[in-house]
């Protein structure tokens, strides 16, 4: 590798921040770029989380691969999953061979199947070894295409980056695709830097497909690299080159960068002037470019820098560049950048503006426009809708498109137990090797006996709800960034078959049975949660609702995008949820461990009271919920209905969770208070009090509530007891919901905003001791990555 002389110009963005253009090679000394055939290597993630996407990727490869490559190109493919699960399934196949795809298709179908976990290190090492094998006979350059939708859970980050850096020496180009929203973005960005490559985000197959095809059709102009001295200390430790619609990044953390020999210029951000300081600031040049059409090169580079630092979630770097450009549309877009969805959208928009002048300043220029810190959020929207008793959500409206976020439930009545599955497997095994027709009939009868014993699941049929459903409650997952609306659906359950089965058990001349009074079409209801935000991502893009005029005006004043569509005599408002940020900058500026620990303490107190009040209701006024069913269908009839999953609380049959078919990676934040692992039963707390045992904080909260109830009962007439208990329970339920909402805001800020509590210097610090109610309370903020089975 030869070294080049530093020749650079610095454009001031603000004091202490410069956009540097460094000349790598002038025309007289620059090597002549020659396009040569390319050896393409695709490394494809085949971990369990790719189970839904792999069939589409397989079909794309089988149908389009021969048409994508140019004459002289070769194609190799490496699949990978967890540790020790990887391999080359196609190695240096030329276009002529790919035209006859029989063997290639068999390899794709056999090996491109979801396997298990995710490990990046071994497939990268395999790339280097493949290049060594193929390179003995084929001297053309090698281009890497690496894609994953997950997080490496097999190797540490340093080991992965070390092998990427080593492998980069044998590659002419590299593309790293972050598939979906659950991949490890920081790691893939760092891998692209170490390889001197491009990092691209594709949220779904329709975005991935053209990215893959473009990579297969692109040829690097040269396979050789030169080592270039980097002036100054590049912010973020990387330099970049925008070209042909993509931004290639190069690791510059050592003060040097290995660049393709045909590179003419590279760019980076620096805290100091490198080379010569340009006489004008970037802001002035930008304004000149807008008004006179000049200096468009550095304006495009500024957008490229914003794109790169946005994907790295570095708002402190993006903001000054935003101010310098003054692009109102881009500034407004960045004001809602929280979480991968919004950062990805901004990254793509900024990258497009880097290469296309027509995508700049679409809403004018205002260098003084500052993004609002208190932008209206999805959390705000749901709170406003839930607070309006007149809100109705139209779940059957064509604009409402919903994706389940968890595994479904299977009715226990028709689901085979483990013992039954084993019994059936034994019978089927015996049948497989049996030749006797008589014995086969006997085995079939045994099989039928097991299956006949399983009852068909009862089905709930919802009534039409053209006016929509009220929001009964907002449900917040207390560890993960999920928010759901809880709705009550009315409908019927057909009990005719089960009633007939009960009646058939009785002799011909029988006494009346409890089921005789139960209607065959049983009127009931079910409760359903619909996740609007799932694991920090917007899960519902459009929300059709009926709302009051006051609520409509409130949302309109908050600049929420809404469309009014006629639907019969009333108007339906379709709210565009996707443009809204899940959280805003104000929420993440100062997330406090003290605040959330105090909230959790208050929440524990409210739950303790709620549990005690509820226990007293059940103890003093038993059977209140079943009273209606008992009066209508007798006590035995109410008991039979309960066995079918029907109570006055609605329809909820016994069920088991469906088998997992896939998984995604997510994060959750749990706040633990020492000595407060769970609330015990009221009976257990009473026994501790009677035995004069030491009470933990949870016990103490419940003990205080027990004393409060006992005092009220002693001092007040019996006819007031039930009403007072009901009121106290409802008050604690309302208080609990409010506290959960407040804690959810902080947890969303930490997980989605990717910040940590101000009291702690790093993620390694997570404990704080506070004096609460006269005692020392140790709170632990535990942030962890979890595997979410779906």
């Amino acid at each position: 590798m030869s070294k080049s002389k530093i020749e650079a110009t610095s454009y001031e963005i603000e004091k202490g921040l410069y956009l540097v253009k460094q000349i790598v090679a002038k025309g007289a000394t620059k090597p002549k770029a020659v396009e040569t055939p390319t050896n393409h290597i695709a490394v494809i993630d085949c971990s369990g989380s790719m189970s839904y996407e792999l069939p589409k990727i397989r079909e794309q490869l089988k149908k389009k691969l021969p048409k994508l490559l140019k004459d002289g190109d070769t194609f190799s493919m490496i699949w990978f999953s967890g540790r020790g699960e990887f391999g080359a399934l196609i190695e240096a196949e030329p276009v002529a061979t790919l035209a006859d795809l029989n063997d290639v298709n068999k390899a794709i179908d056999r090996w491109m199947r979801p396997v298990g976990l995710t490990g990046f290190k071994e497939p990268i090492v395999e790339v280097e070894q493949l290049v060594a094998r193929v390179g003995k006979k084929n001297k053309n350059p090698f281009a890497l295409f690496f894609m994953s939708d997950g997080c490496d859970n097999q190797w540490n980050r340093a080991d992965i980056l070390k092998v990427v850096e080593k492998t980069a020496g044998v590659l002419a180009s590299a593309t790293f695709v972050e598939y979906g929203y659950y991949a490890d973005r920081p790691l893939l960005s760092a891998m692209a830097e170490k390889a001197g490559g491009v990092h691209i985000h594709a949220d779904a197959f329709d975005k991935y497909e053209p990215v893959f095809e473009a990579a297969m059709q692109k040829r690097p102009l040269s396979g050789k690299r030169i080592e270039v001295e980097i002036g100054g200390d590049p912010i973020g430790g990387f330099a970049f080159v925008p070209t042909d619609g993509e931004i290639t990044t190069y690791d510059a953390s050592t003060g040097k960068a290995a660049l393709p020999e045909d590179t003419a210029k590279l760019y980076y951000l620096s805290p100091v002037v490198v080379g010569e300081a340009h006489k004008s600031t970037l802001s002035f040049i930008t304004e000149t470019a807008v008004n006179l059409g000049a200096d468009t090169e550095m304006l495009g580079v500024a957008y490229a820098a914003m794109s790169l630092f946005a994907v790295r979630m570095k708002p402190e770097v993006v903001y000054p560049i935003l101010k310098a450009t003054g692009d109102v549309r881009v500034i407004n877009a960045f004001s809602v950048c929280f979480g991968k969805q919004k950062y990805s959208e901004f990254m793509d928009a900024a990258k497009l503006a880097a290469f296309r002048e027509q995508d700049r300043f679409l809403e004018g220029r205002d260098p003084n426009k500052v993004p609002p810190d208190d932008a209206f959020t999805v959390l705000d929207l749901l709170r406003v809708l839930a607070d309006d008793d007149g809100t109705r959500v139209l779940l059957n409206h064509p604009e409402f498109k919903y994706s389940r976020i968890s595994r479904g439930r299977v009715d226990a009545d028709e689901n085979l137990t483990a013992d039954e599955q084993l019994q059936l497997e034994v019978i089927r095994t015996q049948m497989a090797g049996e030749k006797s027709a008589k014995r086969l009939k006997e085995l079939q009868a045994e099989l039928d006996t097991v299956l006949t014993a399983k009852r068909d699941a009862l089905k709930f049929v919802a009534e039409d709800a053209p006016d929509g459903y009220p929001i009964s409650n907002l449900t917040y997952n207390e560890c993960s960034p999920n928010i759901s609306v809880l709705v009550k659906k009315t409908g019927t359950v057909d009990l005719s078959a089960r009633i007939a089965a009960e009646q058939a058990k009785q002799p011909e001349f029988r006494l009346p049975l409890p089921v005789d009074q139960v209607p065959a079409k049983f009127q009931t209801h079910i409760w359903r949660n619909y996740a609007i935000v799932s694991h920090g991502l917007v899960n519902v893009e459009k929300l059709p609702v009926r709302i009051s005029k006051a609520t409509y005006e409130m949302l309109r004043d908050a600049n929420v995008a809404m469309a009014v569509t006629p639907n019969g005599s009333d108007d339906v408002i379709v709210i565009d949820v996707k443009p809204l940020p899940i959280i805003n900058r104000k929420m993440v500026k100062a997330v406090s461990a003290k605040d959330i620990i105090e909230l959790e303490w208050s929440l524990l107190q409210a739950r303790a009271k709620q549990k005690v009040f509820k226990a007293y209701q059940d103890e003093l006024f038993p059977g209140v919920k079943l009273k209606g069913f008992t009066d209508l269908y007798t006590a035995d009839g109410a008991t039979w209905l309960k066995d079918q999953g029907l109570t006055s609380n609605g329809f909820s049959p016994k069920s088991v969770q469906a088998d997992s078919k896939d998984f995604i990676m997510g994060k959750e934040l749990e706040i633990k208070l020492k000595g407060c692992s769970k609330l015990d039963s009221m009976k257990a707390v009473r026994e501790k009090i009677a035995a004069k045992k030491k009470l933990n904080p949870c016990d103490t909260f419940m003990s205080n509530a027990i004393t409060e109830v006992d005092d009220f009962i002693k001092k007040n007439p019996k006819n007031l007891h039930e009403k007072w208990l009901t009121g106290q329970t409802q008050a604690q339920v309302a208080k609990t919901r409010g506290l959960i909402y407040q804690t959810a805001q902080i947890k969303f800020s930490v997980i989605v905003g990717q910040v940590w509590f101000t009291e702690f210097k790093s993620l390694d610090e997570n404990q704080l001791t506070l004096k609460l109610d006269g005692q020392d309370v140790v709170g632990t903020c535990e942030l962890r990555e979890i595997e979410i089975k779906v």
Side-chain angles (χ1 to χ4, degrees), residues 52-113:
Y52 181 73
E53 304 298 332
L54 282 176
K56 291 180 276 189
I57 293 174
R58 287 199 302 267
E59 287 306 304
Q60 177 199 27
L61 288 169
K62 291 190 291 185
K63 290 180 179 179
K64 295 187 177 181
L65 196 54
K67 301 173 185 177
L68 295 177
L69 303 185
K70 300 177 181 179
D71 287 341
D73 290 356
T74 69
F75 180 74
S76 302
M77 177 172 289
I78 294 171
W79 70 274
F80 75 93
S81 182
R83 189 182 292 254
E85 297 171 326
F86 69 97
L89 61 92
I90 301 171
E91 186 165 314
E93 293 286 350
V95 175
T97 305
L98 289 172
D100 182 7
L101 283 174
N102 285 333
D103 291 338
V104 172
N105 286 351
K106 288 179 182 177
I108 290 172
D109 285 334
R110 180 183 177 187
W111 294 106
M112 288 195 66
R113 299 284 176 182

XYZ file of all heavy atoms in Angstrom, residues 52-113:
504
model
N -39.995 -16.591 8.134
C -41.041 -16.033 7.272
C -40.458 -15.474 5.971
O -41.109 -15.494 4.917
C -41.788 -14.924 8.010
C -42.905 -14.303 7.204
C -44.098 -14.985 6.977
C -42.764 -13.029 6.661
C -45.116 -14.421 6.228
C -43.775 -12.457 5.911
C -44.953 -13.150 5.700
O -45.949 -12.584 4.954
N -39.204 -14.981 6.015
C -38.617 -14.302 4.861
C -37.856 -15.236 3.922
O -37.764 -14.975 2.727
C -37.656 -13.196 5.345
C -38.296 -12.188 6.284
C -39.431 -11.417 5.634
O -39.405 -11.236 4.405
O -40.349 -10.993 6.352
N -37.305 -16.326 4.445
C -36.455 -17.187 3.620
C -37.151 -17.755 2.382
O -36.530 -17.859 1.322
C -35.867 -18.321 4.467
C -34.678 -17.912 5.342
C -34.228 -19.068 6.215
C -33.509 -17.426 4.489
N -38.428 -18.167 2.454
C -39.072 -18.655 1.229
C -39.056 -17.625 0.101
O -38.825 -17.980 -1.065
C -40.512 -18.955 1.691
C -40.383 -19.248 3.145
C -39.314 -18.330 3.635
N -39.257 -16.347 0.439
C -39.233 -15.308 -0.596
C -37.823 -15.110 -1.142
O -37.639 -14.899 -2.346
C -39.772 -13.996 -0.006
C -41.262 -14.046 0.298
C -41.773 -12.747 0.873
C -41.564 -12.669 2.353
N -42.240 -11.514 2.981
N -36.835 -15.188 -0.261
C -35.445 -15.025 -0.702
C -35.025 -16.209 -1.572
O -34.324 -16.045 -2.585
C -34.520 -14.877 0.519
C -34.838 -13.552 1.227
C -33.056 -14.934 0.114
C -34.094 -13.354 2.532
N -35.472 -17.416 -1.201
C -35.159 -18.597 -2.026
C -35.728 -18.439 -3.433
O -35.052 -18.715 -4.429
C -35.731 -19.861 -1.375
C -34.992 -20.340 -0.139
C -35.299 -21.804 0.161
N -36.717 -22.049 0.349
C -37.331 -22.027 1.520
N -36.643 -21.746 2.622
N -38.617 -22.278 1.617
N -36.982 -18.009 -3.517
C -37.617 -17.852 -4.828
C -36.919 -16.784 -5.662
O -36.750 -16.920 -6.866
C -39.101 -17.504 -4.657
C -39.948 -18.679 -4.190
C -39.786 -19.897 -5.097
O -40.018 -19.769 -6.315
O -39.415 -20.964 -4.583
N -36.511 -15.704 -4.997
C -35.803 -14.640 -5.712
C -34.504 -15.176 -6.323
O -34.186 -14.910 -7.483
C -35.486 -13.494 -4.752
C -34.688 -12.359 -5.407
C -33.986 -11.486 -4.399
O -33.661 -11.922 -3.299
N -33.749 -10.238 -4.749
N -33.757 -15.955 -5.529
C -32.494 -16.499 -6.014
C -32.705 -17.446 -7.189
O -32.009 -17.376 -8.207
C -31.778 -17.232 -4.878
C -31.177 -16.351 -3.778
C -30.751 -17.206 -2.597
C -29.997 -15.566 -4.317
N -33.688 -18.326 -7.053
C -33.903 -19.343 -8.089
C -34.403 -18.732 -9.401
O -34.043 -19.191 -10.477
C -34.874 -20.405 -7.579
C -34.283 -21.268 -6.463
C -35.144 -22.461 -6.130
C -36.433 -22.098 -5.472
N -37.217 -23.279 -5.044
N -35.225 -17.704 -9.300
C -35.834 -17.127 -10.504
C -34.965 -16.068 -11.183
O -34.968 -15.934 -12.399
C -37.191 -16.521 -10.157
C -38.261 -17.543 -9.820
C -39.577 -16.860 -9.474
C -40.659 -17.886 -9.156
N -41.950 -17.232 -8.781
N -34.213 -15.296 -10.388
C -33.568 -14.106 -10.953
C -32.045 -14.161 -11.015
O -31.439 -13.357 -11.718
C -33.981 -12.867 -10.152
C -35.463 -12.552 -10.251
C -35.779 -11.226 -9.580
C -37.244 -10.870 -9.751
N -37.563 -9.558 -9.123
N -31.434 -15.069 -10.269
C -29.983 -15.058 -10.156
C -29.259 -15.086 -11.508
O -28.357 -14.274 -11.744
C -29.522 -16.222 -9.276
C -28.096 -16.154 -8.743
C -27.855 -14.846 -8.015
C -27.823 -17.328 -7.818
N -29.617 -15.974 -12.439
C -28.882 -16.012 -13.705
C -28.986 -14.711 -14.497
O -28.077 -14.364 -15.254
C -29.563 -17.161 -14.474
C -30.234 -17.978 -13.431
C -30.660 -17.016 -12.387
N -30.095 -13.982 -14.304
C -30.282 -12.738 -15.058
C -29.542 -11.562 -14.436
O -29.338 -10.535 -15.084
C -31.780 -12.402 -15.132
C -32.617 -13.485 -15.784
C -34.096 -13.164 -15.676
C -34.962 -14.303 -16.214
N -36.412 -14.035 -16.047
N -29.155 -11.697 -13.171
C -28.549 -10.574 -12.468
C -27.063 -10.437 -12.762
O -26.541 -9.329 -12.848
C -28.743 -10.741 -10.955
C -30.190 -10.697 -10.440
C -30.220 -10.946 -8.932
C -30.827 -9.355 -10.754
N -26.372 -11.569 -12.902
C -24.927 -11.519 -13.062
C -24.532 -11.224 -14.506
O -25.233 -11.561 -15.454
C -24.312 -12.850 -12.626
C -24.616 -13.290 -11.184
C -23.850 -14.558 -10.860
C -24.283 -12.196 -10.192
N -23.382 -10.603 -14.636
C -22.847 -10.266 -15.962
C -21.857 -11.352 -16.403
O -21.387 -12.151 -15.597
C -22.159 -8.903 -15.908
C -23.099 -7.766 -15.501
C -22.351 -6.442 -15.397
C -23.289 -5.330 -14.969
N -22.594 -4.023 -14.831
N -21.560 -11.341 -17.697
C -20.615 -12.329 -18.222
C -19.288 -12.252 -17.484
O -18.740 -11.165 -17.262
C -20.370 -12.086 -19.721
C -21.568 -12.488 -20.561
O -22.401 -13.260 -20.052
O -21.684 -12.011 -21.710
N -18.783 -13.398 -17.101
C -17.513 -13.463 -16.399
C -17.649 -13.426 -14.892
O -16.718 -13.767 -14.161
N -18.816 -12.990 -14.386
C -19.041 -12.962 -12.939
C -19.246 -14.379 -12.399
O -19.692 -15.265 -13.124
C -20.276 -12.127 -12.589
C -20.063 -10.642 -12.825
O -18.938 -10.251 -13.181
O -21.036 -9.881 -12.655
N -18.950 -14.545 -11.118
C -19.277 -15.802 -10.436
C -20.120 -15.479 -9.203
O -20.124 -14.343 -8.715
C -18.025 -16.583 -10.000
O -17.360 -15.873 -8.951
C -17.082 -16.803 -11.169
N -20.790 -16.507 -8.710
C -21.644 -16.317 -7.544
C -21.365 -17.399 -6.514
O -21.323 -18.592 -6.842
C -23.112 -16.367 -7.949
C -24.069 -16.180 -6.809
C -24.266 -14.928 -6.238
C -24.765 -17.262 -6.280
C -25.137 -14.753 -5.176
C -25.651 -17.100 -5.223
C -25.843 -15.839 -4.665
N -21.184 -16.963 -5.263
C -21.024 -17.886 -4.133
C -22.047 -17.512 -3.070
O -22.403 -16.343 -2.927
C -19.611 -17.784 -3.534
O -18.619 -18.047 -4.506
N -22.500 -18.522 -2.334
C -23.443 -18.236 -1.256
C -23.059 -19.009 -0.003
O -22.761 -20.206 -0.061
C -24.870 -18.591 -1.653
C -25.876 -18.368 -0.518
S -27.573 -18.553 -1.051
C -27.746 -17.087 -2.033
N -23.092 -18.297 1.123
C -22.809 -18.888 2.429
C -24.040 -18.690 3.304
O -24.558 -17.578 3.407
C -21.583 -18.220 3.084
C -20.323 -18.519 2.261
C -21.406 -18.699 4.530
C -19.098 -17.729 2.699
N -24.527 -19.759 3.896
C -25.644 -19.655 4.838
C -25.074 -19.705 6.243
O -23.996 -20.254 6.478
C -26.650 -20.796 4.631
C -26.128 -22.152 5.051
C -25.385 -23.018 4.302
C -26.278 -22.768 6.350
N -25.059 -24.139 5.034
C -25.604 -24.012 6.296
C -26.910 -22.393 7.528
C -25.554 -24.870 7.388
C -26.863 -23.250 8.620
C -26.187 -24.483 8.544
N -25.782 -19.113 7.195
C -25.319 -19.203 8.578
C -26.487 -19.078 9.545
O -27.542 -18.533 9.244
C -24.271 -18.118 8.884
C -24.835 -16.730 9.048
C -25.184 -16.225 10.293
C -25.007 -15.900 7.936
C -25.695 -14.946 10.445
C -25.517 -14.622 8.072
C -25.863 -14.132 9.330
N -26.249 -19.646 10.718
C -27.205 -19.531 11.821
C -26.374 -19.365 13.098
O -25.660 -18.383 13.219
C -28.108 -20.758 11.888
O -29.061 -20.619 12.916
N -26.460 -20.319 14.035
C -25.726 -20.195 15.285
C -24.314 -20.740 15.185
O -23.803 -21.038 14.105
N -23.681 -20.896 16.327
C -22.294 -21.364 16.384
C -22.158 -22.739 15.735
O -22.888 -23.668 16.054
C -21.843 -21.436 17.850
C -20.367 -21.695 18.045
C -20.051 -21.791 19.532
N -20.216 -20.510 20.199
C -19.207 -19.732 20.614
N -17.955 -20.115 20.412
N -19.444 -18.599 21.235
N -21.235 -22.843 14.793
C -20.996 -24.102 14.099
C -22.002 -24.412 13.006
O -21.891 -25.444 12.337
N -22.976 -23.522 12.800
C -24.023 -23.747 11.795
C -23.830 -22.747 10.653
O -24.362 -21.628 10.674
C -25.404 -23.594 12.425
C -25.674 -24.625 13.505
C -26.941 -24.356 14.293
O -27.275 -23.169 14.511
O -27.600 -25.325 14.711
N -23.043 -23.140 9.652
C -22.756 -22.273 8.512
C -22.125 -23.140 7.423
O -21.735 -24.283 7.662
C -21.786 -21.143 8.903
C -20.391 -21.629 9.207
C -19.393 -21.585 8.247
C -20.087 -22.166 10.447
C -18.119 -22.057 8.514
C -18.817 -22.644 10.731
C -17.826 -22.581 9.767
N -22.017 -22.584 6.257
C -21.350 -23.312 5.181
C -21.597 -22.686 3.826
O -22.552 -21.932 3.629
N -20.717 -22.997 2.873
C -20.862 -22.512 1.503
C -21.731 -23.499 0.734
O -21.360 -24.653 0.565
C -19.496 -22.369 0.843
N -22.908 -23.068 0.285
C -23.768 -23.982 -0.466
C -23.608 -23.799 -1.974
O -23.984 -24.662 -2.757
C -25.225 -23.829 -0.045
C -25.939 -22.494 -0.222
C -26.642 -22.444 -1.564
C -26.960 -22.315 0.883
N -23.070 -22.657 -2.395
C -22.712 -22.433 -3.802
C -21.350 -21.767 -3.792
O -21.132 -20.807 -3.050
C -23.730 -21.512 -4.511
C -25.137 -22.111 -4.464
C -23.321 -21.268 -5.963
C -26.221 -21.154 -4.947
N -20.422 -22.253 -4.593
C -19.071 -21.691 -4.570
C -18.575 -21.370 -5.975
O -18.364 -22.257 -6.803
C -18.102 -22.660 -3.883
C -16.718 -22.071 -3.691
C -15.875 -22.869 -2.707
O -16.390 -23.220 -1.620
O -14.697 -23.144 -3.027
N -18.432 -20.065 -6.244
C -17.843 -19.545 -7.492
C -18.485 -20.141 -8.735
O -17.796 -20.543 -9.672
C -16.334 -19.772 -7.499
N -19.799 -20.199 -8.749
C -20.504 -20.692 -9.928
C -20.581 -19.579 -10.974
O -21.050 -18.479 -10.700
C -21.929 -21.122 -9.562
C -22.002 -22.333 -8.656
C -21.674 -23.622 -9.398
O -21.572 -23.593 -10.636
O -21.519 -24.660 -8.732
N -20.132 -19.857 -12.207
C -20.228 -18.846 -13.264
C -21.646 -18.766 -13.815
O -22.484 -19.632 -13.548
C -19.256 -19.355 -14.321
C -19.215 -20.836 -14.104
C -19.401 -21.054 -12.626
N -21.913 -17.712 -14.576
C -23.251 -17.500 -15.134
C -23.691 -18.690 -15.965
O -24.849 -19.116 -15.908
C -23.278 -16.208 -15.984
C -24.632 -16.048 -16.663
C -22.971 -15.014 -15.128
N -22.776 -19.261 -16.717
C -23.141 -20.386 -17.590
C -23.679 -21.554 -16.773
O -24.633 -22.226 -17.167
C -21.920 -20.824 -18.400
N -23.079 -21.802 -15.626
C -23.540 -22.892 -14.770
C -24.876 -22.558 -14.134
O -25.762 -23.400 -13.999
C -22.503 -23.186 -13.667
O -21.243 -23.432 -14.277
C -22.909 -24.393 -12.843
N -25.022 -21.289 -13.743
C -26.254 -20.870 -13.097
C -27.457 -20.975 -14.032
O -28.595 -21.067 -13.585
C -26.126 -19.428 -12.591
C -25.202 -19.236 -11.384
C -25.017 -17.758 -11.100
C -25.770 -19.921 -10.152
N -27.182 -20.927 -15.331
C -28.287 -21.053 -16.279
C -28.957 -22.410 -16.155
O -30.141 -22.566 -16.433
C -27.778 -20.841 -17.705
N -28.198 -23.431 -15.771
C -28.759 -24.751 -15.498
C -28.856 -24.894 -13.983
O -27.913 -25.296 -13.321
C -27.843 -25.835 -16.082
C -28.432 -27.229 -15.850
O -29.583 -27.302 -15.369
O -27.735 -28.212 -16.118
N -30.002 -24.530 -13.440
C -30.129 -24.328 -12.002
C -30.537 -25.553 -11.204
O -30.828 -25.422 -10.022
C -31.149 -23.207 -11.729
C -30.643 -21.786 -11.956
C -31.787 -20.813 -11.799
C -29.541 -21.443 -10.979
N -30.569 -26.711 -11.785
C -31.057 -27.882 -11.060
C -30.303 -28.110 -9.755
O -30.897 -28.190 -8.672
C -30.965 -29.135 -11.943
C -32.049 -29.152 -13.009
O -33.113 -28.564 -12.809
N -31.776 -29.808 -14.122
N -28.981 -28.211 -9.847
C -28.189 -28.482 -8.652
C -28.197 -27.289 -7.700
O -28.239 -27.453 -6.483
C -26.748 -28.826 -9.038
C -26.665 -30.183 -9.742
O -27.598 -30.987 -9.556
O -25.671 -30.415 -10.457
N -28.140 -26.076 -8.292
C -28.140 -24.871 -7.467
C -29.448 -24.757 -6.700
O -29.469 -24.479 -5.506
C -27.910 -23.622 -8.338
C -28.100 -22.347 -7.507
C -26.515 -23.642 -8.941
N -30.555 -24.997 -7.388
C -31.867 -24.918 -6.732
C -32.000 -25.940 -5.608
O -32.600 -25.662 -4.565
C -32.986 -25.124 -7.752
C -33.161 -23.906 -8.645
O -32.567 -22.861 -8.402
N -33.962 -24.049 -9.681
N -31.472 -27.127 -5.843
C -31.521 -28.155 -4.798
C -30.744 -27.700 -3.568
O -31.185 -27.905 -2.425
C -30.942 -29.474 -5.326
C -31.857 -30.179 -6.332
C -31.198 -31.456 -6.832
C -32.075 -32.152 -7.885
N -31.413 -33.360 -8.428
N -29.583 -27.082 -3.792
C -28.766 -26.604 -2.674
C -29.483 -25.488 -1.921
O -29.484 -25.446 -0.686
C -27.409 -26.109 -3.197
N -30.100 -24.581 -2.667
C -30.834 -23.471 -2.047
C -31.985 -24.008 -1.208
O -32.189 -23.607 -0.059
C -31.353 -22.499 -3.126
C -30.172 -21.734 -3.750
C -32.368 -21.524 -2.535
C -30.550 -20.901 -4.948
N -32.760 -24.935 -1.773
C -33.915 -25.478 -1.054
C -33.497 -26.297 0.164
O -34.188 -26.317 1.186
C -34.761 -26.348 -1.990
C -35.584 -25.512 -2.960
O -35.888 -24.356 -2.622
O -35.918 -26.016 -4.039
N -32.371 -26.978 0.049
C -31.933 -27.840 1.149
C -31.371 -27.051 2.319
O -31.691 -27.324 3.470
C -30.879 -28.839 0.648
C -30.390 -29.760 1.768
C -29.297 -30.693 1.281
N -28.800 -31.518 2.380
C -27.761 -32.332 2.295
N -27.109 -32.454 1.150
N -27.372 -33.034 3.347
N -30.525 -26.054 2.015
C -29.775 -25.396 3.082
C -30.363 -24.073 3.550
O -30.117 -23.662 4.687
C -28.321 -25.170 2.636
C -27.584 -26.456 2.454
C -27.231 -27.045 1.283
C -27.135 -27.347 3.487
N -26.590 -28.230 1.512
C -26.508 -28.446 2.862
C -27.196 -27.312 4.874
C -25.947 -29.485 3.582
C -26.644 -28.353 5.594
C -26.025 -29.423 4.948
N -31.122 -23.406 2.704
C -31.676 -22.109 3.106
C -32.976 -22.319 3.865
O -34.070 -21.984 3.400
C -31.862 -21.197 1.895
C -30.551 -20.673 1.345
S -30.797 -19.300 0.238
C -31.442 -18.054 1.354
N -32.847 -22.889 5.040
C -33.965 -23.168 5.935
C -33.669 -22.560 7.304
O -32.507 -22.530 7.718
C -34.164 -24.689 6.095
C -34.482 -25.395 4.783
C -35.922 -25.160 4.372
N -36.229 -25.739 3.074
C -37.410 -25.632 2.489
N -38.378 -24.961 3.096
N -37.628 -26.164 1.317
